[in-house]
Amino acid sequence: MDFVRHLLVFLHLLGMGVLIGTFLLQLRARTGEVNKGWLHGAGLQLLTGILLMVLAPATGAHYNHVKLGVKLLVVVVIAVLAFAFIAKRDNPRWLTPTLGGLVVLNTGLAVFWT
Ligand code: HEM
């Protein structure tokens, strides 16, 4: 089961990479459509994070559930914002720094909140 947890953490970290990569692409684009990478990255984080959480009894991991609840909420906000503005075909100036800031917030929560 250790391998399963390591595989999920590996994919979870790649998901974070997707979100940071999307942030950089979006910064360069400045205008235009909201990149779908936000949805792919948030979806991967949601899937791998929830699997890590529900498989914890089997993998022997012990997590802070309040922290995971907050991280879950932050990812849902990222996904809802991205989805709403992709649907609207609108990309307001505040959106990219907000989404990027939320990704950095979740990374900080993951590392500093024990
Ligand atoms: C933007 C979204 C997210 C980012 C950037 C992120 C980032 C990270 C990072 C960097 C770690 C490694 C921390 C360390 O090993 O010290 C981690 C671990 C973890 N994350 Fe996330 N996370 C996100 C969303 C989520 C969500 C939505 C959940 C589930 C509700 C979740 C559950 C977990 C769990 C359970 C671990 C521990 C894995 C382990 O070492 O066994 N994450 N996350």
PDB file of all heavy atoms in Angstrom, residues 5 9 12-13 16 19 45-46 48-50 52-53 61 63 68-69 71-72 74-75 78 102-103 106-107 110-111, ligand 1:
ATOM      1  N   ARG A   5       0.228   4.977  -2.043  1.00  0.00           N
ATOM      2  CA  ARG A   5       0.306   6.328  -1.464  1.00  0.00           C
ATOM      3  C   ARG A   5       1.372   7.162  -2.188  1.00  0.00           C
ATOM      4  O   ARG A   5       1.140   8.316  -2.542  1.00  0.00           O
ATOM      5  CB  ARG A   5       0.603   6.270   0.036  1.00  0.00           C
ATOM      6  CG  ARG A   5       0.475   7.645   0.706  1.00  0.00           C
ATOM      7  CD  ARG A   5       0.591   7.562   2.216  1.00  0.00           C
ATOM      8  NE  ARG A   5       1.946   7.291   2.654  1.00  0.00           N
ATOM      9  CZ  ARG A   5       2.884   8.224   2.833  1.00  0.00           C
ATOM     10  NH1 ARG A   5       2.610   9.489   2.591  1.00  0.00           N
ATOM     11  NH2 ARG A   5       4.088   7.901   3.226  1.00  0.00           N
ATOM     12  N   VAL A   9       0.801  10.601  -4.188  1.00  0.00           N
ATOM     13  CA  VAL A   9       1.520  11.837  -3.827  1.00  0.00           C
ATOM     14  C   VAL A   9       2.268  12.361  -5.063  1.00  0.00           C
ATOM     15  O   VAL A   9       2.276  13.564  -5.343  1.00  0.00           O
ATOM     16  CB  VAL A   9       2.497  11.595  -2.646  1.00  0.00           C
ATOM     17  CG1 VAL A   9       3.347  12.835  -2.382  1.00  0.00           C
ATOM     18  CG2 VAL A   9       1.733  11.217  -1.384  1.00  0.00           C
ATOM     19  N   HIS A  12      -0.183  13.942  -7.216  1.00  0.00           N
ATOM     20  CA  HIS A  12      -0.630  15.160  -6.518  1.00  0.00           C
ATOM     21  C   HIS A  12       0.377  16.298  -6.740  1.00  0.00           C
ATOM     22  O   HIS A  12      -0.008  17.440  -6.985  1.00  0.00           O
ATOM     23  CB  HIS A  12      -0.753  14.826  -5.034  1.00  0.00           C
ATOM     24  CG  HIS A  12      -1.594  15.771  -4.238  1.00  0.00           C
ATOM     25  ND1 HIS A  12      -2.943  15.917  -4.432  1.00  0.00           N
ATOM     26  CD2 HIS A  12      -1.290  16.611  -3.211  1.00  0.00           C
ATOM     27  CE1 HIS A  12      -3.423  16.801  -3.572  1.00  0.00           C
ATOM     28  NE2 HIS A  12      -2.428  17.246  -2.816  1.00  0.00           N
ATOM     29  N   LEU A  13       1.658  15.959  -6.694  1.00  0.00           N
ATOM     30  CA  LEU A  13       2.683  16.991  -6.903  1.00  0.00           C
ATOM     31  C   LEU A  13       2.728  17.414  -8.375  1.00  0.00           C
ATOM     32  O   LEU A  13       2.925  18.599  -8.681  1.00  0.00           O
ATOM     33  CB  LEU A  13       4.056  16.497  -6.423  1.00  0.00           C
ATOM     34  CG  LEU A  13       4.143  16.275  -4.899  1.00  0.00           C
ATOM     35  CD1 LEU A  13       5.509  15.711  -4.512  1.00  0.00           C
ATOM     36  CD2 LEU A  13       3.886  17.559  -4.123  1.00  0.00           C
ATOM     37  N   MET A  16       0.034  19.896  -8.877  1.00  0.00           N
ATOM     38  CA  MET A  16       0.458  21.231  -8.437  1.00  0.00           C
ATOM     39  C   MET A  16       1.297  21.879  -9.562  1.00  0.00           C
ATOM     40  O   MET A  16       1.138  23.075  -9.855  1.00  0.00           O
ATOM     41  CB  MET A  16       1.282  21.113  -7.149  1.00  0.00           C
ATOM     42  CG  MET A  16       1.792  22.437  -6.637  1.00  0.00           C
ATOM     43  SD  MET A  16       2.636  22.264  -5.058  1.00  0.00           S
ATOM     44  CE  MET A  16       4.034  21.286  -5.485  1.00  0.00           C
ATOM     45  N   LEU A  19      -0.896  23.283 -12.217  1.00  0.00           N
ATOM     46  CA  LEU A  19      -1.515  24.562 -11.813  1.00  0.00           C
ATOM     47  C   LEU A  19      -0.514  25.718 -11.911  1.00  0.00           C
ATOM     48  O   LEU A  19      -0.860  26.806 -12.391  1.00  0.00           O
ATOM     49  CB  LEU A  19      -2.080  24.445 -10.392  1.00  0.00           C
ATOM     50  CG  LEU A  19      -3.348  23.582 -10.281  1.00  0.00           C
ATOM     51  CD1 LEU A  19      -3.663  23.252  -8.831  1.00  0.00           C
ATOM     52  CD2 LEU A  19      -4.537  24.292 -10.928  1.00  0.00           C
ATOM     53  N   GLN A  45      -5.901  17.497  -8.509  1.00  0.00           N
ATOM     54  CA  GLN A  45      -5.657  17.693  -7.076  1.00  0.00           C
ATOM     55  C   GLN A  45      -6.815  17.153  -6.238  1.00  0.00           C
ATOM     56  O   GLN A  45      -6.626  16.540  -5.197  1.00  0.00           O
ATOM     57  CB  GLN A  45      -5.453  19.178  -6.747  1.00  0.00           C
ATOM     58  CG  GLN A  45      -4.179  19.771  -7.290  1.00  0.00           C
ATOM     59  CD  GLN A  45      -2.973  18.935  -6.976  1.00  0.00           C
ATOM     60  OE1 GLN A  45      -2.722  17.921  -7.612  1.00  0.00           O
ATOM     61  NE2 GLN A  45      -2.206  19.319  -5.985  1.00  0.00           N
ATOM     62  N   LEU A  46      -8.026  17.400  -6.743  1.00  0.00           N
ATOM     63  CA  LEU A  46      -9.229  16.935  -6.051  1.00  0.00           C
ATOM     64  C   LEU A  46      -9.240  15.407  -5.994  1.00  0.00           C
ATOM     65  O   LEU A  46      -9.422  14.803  -4.932  1.00  0.00           O
ATOM     66  CB  LEU A  46     -10.448  17.459  -6.820  1.00  0.00           C
ATOM     67  CG  LEU A  46     -11.739  17.670  -6.070  1.00  0.00           C
ATOM     68  CD1 LEU A  46     -11.544  18.658  -4.941  1.00  0.00           C
ATOM     69  CD2 LEU A  46     -12.811  18.209  -7.034  1.00  0.00           C
ATOM     70  N   THR A  48      -6.725  13.118  -6.589  1.00  0.00           N
ATOM     71  CA  THR A  48      -5.623  12.471  -5.863  1.00  0.00           C
ATOM     72  C   THR A  48      -5.711  12.777  -4.368  1.00  0.00           C
ATOM     73  O   THR A  48      -5.465  11.909  -3.531  1.00  0.00           O
ATOM     74  CB  THR A  48      -4.250  12.918  -6.409  1.00  0.00           C
ATOM     75  OG1 THR A  48      -4.208  14.356  -6.441  1.00  0.00           O
ATOM     76  CG2 THR A  48      -4.005  12.383  -7.801  1.00  0.00           C
ATOM     77  N   GLY A  49      -6.112  14.019  -4.026  1.00  0.00           N
ATOM     78  CA  GLY A  49      -6.231  14.388  -2.606  1.00  0.00           C
ATOM     79  C   GLY A  49      -7.292  13.571  -1.893  1.00  0.00           C
ATOM     80  O   GLY A  49      -7.067  13.045  -0.796  1.00  0.00           O
ATOM     81  N   ILE A  50      -8.454  13.424  -2.547  1.00  0.00           N
ATOM     82  CA  ILE A  50      -9.540  12.664  -1.917  1.00  0.00           C
ATOM     83  C   ILE A  50      -9.163  11.181  -1.809  1.00  0.00           C
ATOM     84  O   ILE A  50      -9.412  10.537  -0.793  1.00  0.00           O
ATOM     85  CB  ILE A  50     -10.870  12.879  -2.676  1.00  0.00           C
ATOM     86  CG1 ILE A  50     -11.375  14.294  -2.383  1.00  0.00           C
ATOM     87  CG2 ILE A  50     -11.916  11.854  -2.273  1.00  0.00           C
ATOM     88  CD1 ILE A  50     -12.606  14.714  -3.136  1.00  0.00           C
ATOM     89  N   LEU A  52      -6.132   9.980  -1.491  1.00  0.00           N
ATOM     90  CA  LEU A  52      -5.169   9.871  -0.383  1.00  0.00           C
ATOM     91  C   LEU A  52      -5.912   9.849   0.954  1.00  0.00           C
ATOM     92  O   LEU A  52      -5.582   9.075   1.853  1.00  0.00           O
ATOM     93  CB  LEU A  52      -4.201  11.071  -0.404  1.00  0.00           C
ATOM     94  CG  LEU A  52      -3.032  11.000  -1.387  1.00  0.00           C
ATOM     95  CD1 LEU A  52      -2.398  12.373  -1.562  1.00  0.00           C
ATOM     96  CD2 LEU A  52      -1.989   9.995  -0.903  1.00  0.00           C
ATOM     97  N   MET A  53      -6.944  10.708   1.038  1.00  0.00           N
ATOM     98  CA  MET A  53      -7.694  10.848   2.285  1.00  0.00           C
ATOM     99  C   MET A  53      -8.500   9.577   2.584  1.00  0.00           C
ATOM    100  O   MET A  53      -8.432   9.045   3.689  1.00  0.00           O
ATOM    101  CB  MET A  53      -8.634  12.054   2.137  1.00  0.00           C
ATOM    102  CG  MET A  53      -9.124  12.627   3.420  1.00  0.00           C
ATOM    103  SD  MET A  53      -9.860  14.250   3.141  1.00  0.00           S
ATOM    104  CE  MET A  53     -11.281  13.854   2.168  1.00  0.00           C
ATOM    105  N   ALA A  61      -1.728   6.097   6.828  1.00  0.00           N
ATOM    106  CA  ALA A  61      -1.381   7.520   6.968  1.00  0.00           C
ATOM    107  C   ALA A  61      -2.349   8.194   7.952  1.00  0.00           C
ATOM    108  O   ALA A  61      -3.497   7.766   8.103  1.00  0.00           O
ATOM    109  CB  ALA A  61      -1.464   8.202   5.616  1.00  0.00           C
ATOM    110  N   TYR A  63      -3.834  11.963   8.803  1.00  0.00           N
ATOM    111  CA  TYR A  63      -3.900  13.329   8.302  1.00  0.00           C
ATOM    112  C   TYR A  63      -4.721  14.217   9.227  1.00  0.00           C
ATOM    113  O   TYR A  63      -5.586  13.738   9.963  1.00  0.00           O
ATOM    114  CB  TYR A  63      -4.523  13.353   6.901  1.00  0.00           C
ATOM    115  CG  TYR A  63      -3.746  12.560   5.871  1.00  0.00           C
ATOM    116  CD1 TYR A  63      -4.374  11.597   5.084  1.00  0.00           C
ATOM    117  CD2 TYR A  63      -2.379  12.775   5.674  1.00  0.00           C
ATOM    118  CE1 TYR A  63      -3.663  10.872   4.137  1.00  0.00           C
ATOM    119  CE2 TYR A  63      -1.666  12.051   4.736  1.00  0.00           C
ATOM    120  CZ  TYR A  63      -2.314  11.098   3.978  1.00  0.00           C
ATOM    121  OH  TYR A  63      -1.601  10.381   3.045  1.00  0.00           O
ATOM    122  N   LEU A  68      -7.316  19.262   5.652  1.00  0.00           N
ATOM    123  CA  LEU A  68      -7.751  18.718   4.365  1.00  0.00           C
ATOM    124  C   LEU A  68      -9.081  19.336   3.932  1.00  0.00           C
ATOM    125  O   LEU A  68      -9.304  19.585   2.750  1.00  0.00           O
ATOM    126  CB  LEU A  68      -7.861  17.188   4.431  1.00  0.00           C
ATOM    127  CG  LEU A  68      -6.538  16.442   4.640  1.00  0.00           C
ATOM    128  CD1 LEU A  68      -6.745  14.942   4.516  1.00  0.00           C
ATOM    129  CD2 LEU A  68      -5.481  16.892   3.653  1.00  0.00           C
ATOM    130  N   GLY A  69      -9.951  19.614   4.908  1.00  0.00           N
ATOM    131  CA  GLY A  69     -11.231  20.261   4.594  1.00  0.00           C
ATOM    132  C   GLY A  69     -11.010  21.647   4.005  1.00  0.00           C
ATOM    133  O   GLY A  69     -11.659  22.038   3.031  1.00  0.00           O
ATOM    134  N   LYS A  71      -8.234  22.695   2.484  1.00  0.00           N
ATOM    135  CA  LYS A  71      -7.620  22.528   1.159  1.00  0.00           C
ATOM    136  C   LYS A  71      -8.675  22.163   0.109  1.00  0.00           C
ATOM    137  O   LYS A  71      -8.646  22.640  -1.020  1.00  0.00           O
ATOM    138  CB  LYS A  71      -6.540  21.428   1.194  1.00  0.00           C
ATOM    139  CG  LYS A  71      -5.252  21.877   1.856  1.00  0.00           C
ATOM    140  CD  LYS A  71      -4.229  20.758   1.862  1.00  0.00           C
ATOM    141  CE  LYS A  71      -3.637  20.500   0.507  1.00  0.00           C
ATOM    142  NZ  LYS A  71      -2.683  19.358   0.523  1.00  0.00           N
ATOM    143  N   LEU A  72      -9.612  21.326   0.526  1.00  0.00           N
ATOM    144  CA  LEU A  72     -10.693  20.918  -0.377  1.00  0.00           C
ATOM    145  C   LEU A  72     -11.516  22.136  -0.803  1.00  0.00           C
ATOM    146  O   LEU A  72     -11.829  22.324  -1.980  1.00  0.00           O
ATOM    147  CB  LEU A  72     -11.580  19.910   0.360  1.00  0.00           C
ATOM    148  CG  LEU A  72     -12.649  19.185  -0.437  1.00  0.00           C
ATOM    149  CD1 LEU A  72     -11.997  18.241  -1.435  1.00  0.00           C
ATOM    150  CD2 LEU A  72     -13.554  18.387   0.495  1.00  0.00           C
ATOM    151  N   VAL A  74     -10.570  25.273  -0.839  1.00  0.00           N
ATOM    152  CA  VAL A  74      -9.771  26.154  -1.706  1.00  0.00           C
ATOM    153  C   VAL A  74      -9.770  25.627  -3.146  1.00  0.00           C
ATOM    154  O   VAL A  74      -9.936  26.392  -4.103  1.00  0.00           O
ATOM    155  CB  VAL A  74      -8.322  26.298  -1.160  1.00  0.00           C
ATOM    156  CG1 VAL A  74      -7.419  27.037  -2.145  1.00  0.00           C
ATOM    157  CG2 VAL A  74      -8.330  27.018   0.183  1.00  0.00           C
ATOM    158  N   VAL A  75      -9.633  24.295  -3.302  1.00  0.00           N
ATOM    159  CA  VAL A  75      -9.630  23.727  -4.653  1.00  0.00           C
ATOM    160  C   VAL A  75     -10.990  23.905  -5.317  1.00  0.00           C
ATOM    161  O   VAL A  75     -11.069  24.187  -6.523  1.00  0.00           O
ATOM    162  CB  VAL A  75      -9.244  22.231  -4.618  1.00  0.00           C
ATOM    163  CG1 VAL A  75      -9.560  21.560  -5.936  1.00  0.00           C
ATOM    164  CG2 VAL A  75      -7.784  22.096  -4.334  1.00  0.00           C
ATOM    165  N   ILE A  78     -11.138  27.349  -6.659  1.00  0.00           N
ATOM    166  CA  ILE A  78     -10.348  27.445  -7.901  1.00  0.00           C
ATOM    167  C   ILE A  78     -11.166  26.899  -9.077  1.00  0.00           C
ATOM    168  O   ILE A  78     -11.291  27.544 -10.123  1.00  0.00           O
ATOM    169  CB  ILE A  78      -9.012  26.656  -7.776  1.00  0.00           C
ATOM    170  CG1 ILE A  78      -8.093  27.305  -6.740  1.00  0.00           C
ATOM    171  CG2 ILE A  78      -8.301  26.555  -9.137  1.00  0.00           C
ATOM    172  CD1 ILE A  78      -6.827  26.506  -6.427  1.00  0.00           C
ATOM    173  N   LEU A 102      -4.368  31.293  -4.756  1.00  0.00           N
ATOM    174  CA  LEU A 102      -5.039  30.172  -4.079  1.00  0.00           C
ATOM    175  C   LEU A 102      -4.206  28.889  -4.172  1.00  0.00           C
ATOM    176  O   LEU A 102      -4.163  28.098  -3.221  1.00  0.00           O
ATOM    177  CB  LEU A 102      -6.439  29.957  -4.679  1.00  0.00           C
ATOM    178  CG  LEU A 102      -7.467  31.053  -4.353  1.00  0.00           C
ATOM    179  CD1 LEU A 102      -8.753  30.862  -5.156  1.00  0.00           C
ATOM    180  CD2 LEU A 102      -7.789  31.096  -2.857  1.00  0.00           C
ATOM    181  N   VAL A 103      -3.506  28.712  -5.300  1.00  0.00           N
ATOM    182  CA  VAL A 103      -2.628  27.539  -5.432  1.00  0.00           C
ATOM    183  C   VAL A 103      -1.479  27.646  -4.422  1.00  0.00           C
ATOM    184  O   VAL A 103      -1.141  26.680  -3.717  1.00  0.00           O
ATOM    185  CB  VAL A 103      -2.068  27.418  -6.869  1.00  0.00           C
ATOM    186  CG1 VAL A 103      -1.042  26.292  -6.961  1.00  0.00           C
ATOM    187  CG2 VAL A 103      -3.199  27.190  -7.865  1.00  0.00           C
ATOM    188  N   ASN A 106      -2.730  26.892  -0.919  1.00  0.00           N
ATOM    189  CA  ASN A 106      -2.882  25.461  -0.622  1.00  0.00           C
ATOM    190  C   ASN A 106      -1.535  24.765  -0.453  1.00  0.00           C
ATOM    191  O   ASN A 106      -1.400  23.856   0.361  1.00  0.00           O
ATOM    192  CB  ASN A 106      -3.690  24.773  -1.737  1.00  0.00           C
ATOM    193  CG  ASN A 106      -5.064  24.390  -1.236  1.00  0.00           C
ATOM    194  OD1 ASN A 106      -5.453  24.744  -0.129  1.00  0.00           O
ATOM    195  ND2 ASN A 106      -5.810  23.668  -2.035  1.00  0.00           N
ATOM    196  N   THR A 107      -0.535  25.210  -1.206  1.00  0.00           N
ATOM    197  CA  THR A 107       0.801  24.623  -1.048  1.00  0.00           C
ATOM    198  C   THR A 107       1.336  24.967   0.345  1.00  0.00           C
ATOM    199  O   THR A 107       1.890  24.112   1.043  1.00  0.00           O
ATOM    200  CB  THR A 107       1.757  25.169  -2.138  1.00  0.00           C
ATOM    201  OG1 THR A 107       1.140  24.980  -3.410  1.00  0.00           O
ATOM    202  CG2 THR A 107       3.086  24.467  -2.112  1.00  0.00           C
ATOM    203  N   ALA A 110      -0.425  22.898   2.916  1.00  0.00           N
ATOM    204  CA  ALA A 110       0.056  21.509   2.885  1.00  0.00           C
ATOM    205  C   ALA A 110       1.358  21.367   3.667  1.00  0.00           C
ATOM    206  O   ALA A 110       1.560  20.393   4.386  1.00  0.00           O
ATOM    207  CB  ALA A 110       0.269  21.071   1.437  1.00  0.00           C
ATOM    208  N   VAL A 111       2.215  22.363   3.546  1.00  0.00           N
ATOM    209  CA  VAL A 111       3.564  22.228   4.111  1.00  0.00           C
ATOM    210  C   VAL A 111       3.652  22.739   5.562  1.00  0.00           C
ATOM    211  O   VAL A 111       4.263  22.099   6.417  1.00  0.00           O
ATOM    212  CB  VAL A 111       4.586  22.965   3.212  1.00  0.00           C
ATOM    213  CG1 VAL A 111       5.962  22.991   3.851  1.00  0.00           C
ATOM    214  CG2 VAL A 111       4.646  22.305   1.848  1.00  0.00           C
TER     215      VAL A 111
HETATM  216  C1  HEM B   1      -4.269  23.507  -5.231  1.00  0.00           C
HETATM  217  C2  HEM B   1      -4.477  22.355  -4.639  1.00  0.00           C
HETATM  218  C3  HEM B   1      -3.478  21.585  -3.835  1.00  0.00           C
HETATM  219  C4  HEM B   1      -2.130  21.772  -3.725  1.00  0.00           C
HETATM  220  C5  HEM B   1      -1.240  22.800  -4.423  1.00  0.00           C
HETATM  221  C6  HEM B   1      -1.644  20.749  -2.817  1.00  0.00           C
HETATM  222  C7  HEM B   1      -0.312  20.602  -2.466  1.00  0.00           C
HETATM  223  C8  HEM B   1       0.173  19.581  -1.687  1.00  0.00           C
HETATM  224  C9  HEM B   1       1.565  19.367  -1.378  1.00  0.00           C
HETATM  225  C10 HEM B   1       2.739  20.256  -1.854  1.00  0.00           C
HETATM  226  C11 HEM B   1       1.648  18.270  -0.603  1.00  0.00           C
HETATM  227  C12 HEM B   1       2.936  17.615  -0.031  1.00  0.00           C
HETATM  228  C13 HEM B   1       3.147  18.129   1.376  1.00  0.00           C
HETATM  229  C14 HEM B   1       4.233  17.393   2.136  1.00  0.00           C
HETATM  230  O1  HEM B   1       4.577  16.259   1.767  1.00  0.00           O
HETATM  231  O2  HEM B   1       4.706  17.955   3.122  1.00  0.00           O
HETATM  232  C15 HEM B   1       0.309  17.773  -0.391  1.00  0.00           C
HETATM  233  C16 HEM B   1      -0.016  16.686   0.355  1.00  0.00           C
HETATM  234  C17 HEM B   1      -1.301  16.210   0.564  1.00  0.00           C
HETATM  235  N1  HEM B   1      -2.471  16.755   0.061  1.00  0.00           N
HETATM  236 FE1  HEM B   1      -2.596  18.359  -1.161  1.00  0.00          FE
HETATM  237  N2  HEM B   1      -2.698  19.996  -2.380  1.00  0.00           N
HETATM  238  C18 HEM B   1      -3.843  20.467  -2.974  1.00  0.00           C
HETATM  239  C19 HEM B   1      -5.132  19.976  -2.803  1.00  0.00           C
HETATM  240  C20 HEM B   1      -5.484  18.929  -1.982  1.00  0.00           C
HETATM  241  C21 HEM B   1      -6.825  18.455  -1.752  1.00  0.00           C
HETATM  242  C22 HEM B   1      -8.091  19.029  -2.376  1.00  0.00           C
HETATM  243  C23 HEM B   1      -6.745  17.394  -0.901  1.00  0.00           C
HETATM  244  C24 HEM B   1      -7.840  16.541  -0.350  1.00  0.00           C
HETATM  245  C25 HEM B   1      -8.874  16.985   0.241  1.00  0.00           C
HETATM  246  C26 HEM B   1      -5.350  17.192  -0.592  1.00  0.00           C
HETATM  247  C27 HEM B   1      -4.855  16.218   0.231  1.00  0.00           C
HETATM  248  C28 HEM B   1      -3.520  15.995   0.505  1.00  0.00           C
HETATM  249  C29 HEM B   1      -3.024  14.900   1.323  1.00  0.00           C
HETATM  250  C30 HEM B   1      -3.871  13.823   2.006  1.00  0.00           C
HETATM  251  C31 HEM B   1      -1.615  15.043   1.365  1.00  0.00           C
HETATM  252  C32 HEM B   1      -0.592  14.167   2.128  1.00  0.00           C
HETATM  253  C33 HEM B   1       0.037  13.131   1.231  1.00  0.00           C
HETATM  254  C34 HEM B   1       1.024  12.261   1.995  1.00  0.00           C
HETATM  255  O3  HEM B   1       2.174  12.691   2.191  1.00  0.00           O
HETATM  256  O4  HEM B   1       0.641  11.134   2.376  1.00  0.00           O
HETATM  257  N3  HEM B   1      -4.607  18.151  -1.263  1.00  0.00           N
HETATM  258  N4  HEM B   1      -0.563  18.593  -1.063  1.00  0.00           N
END
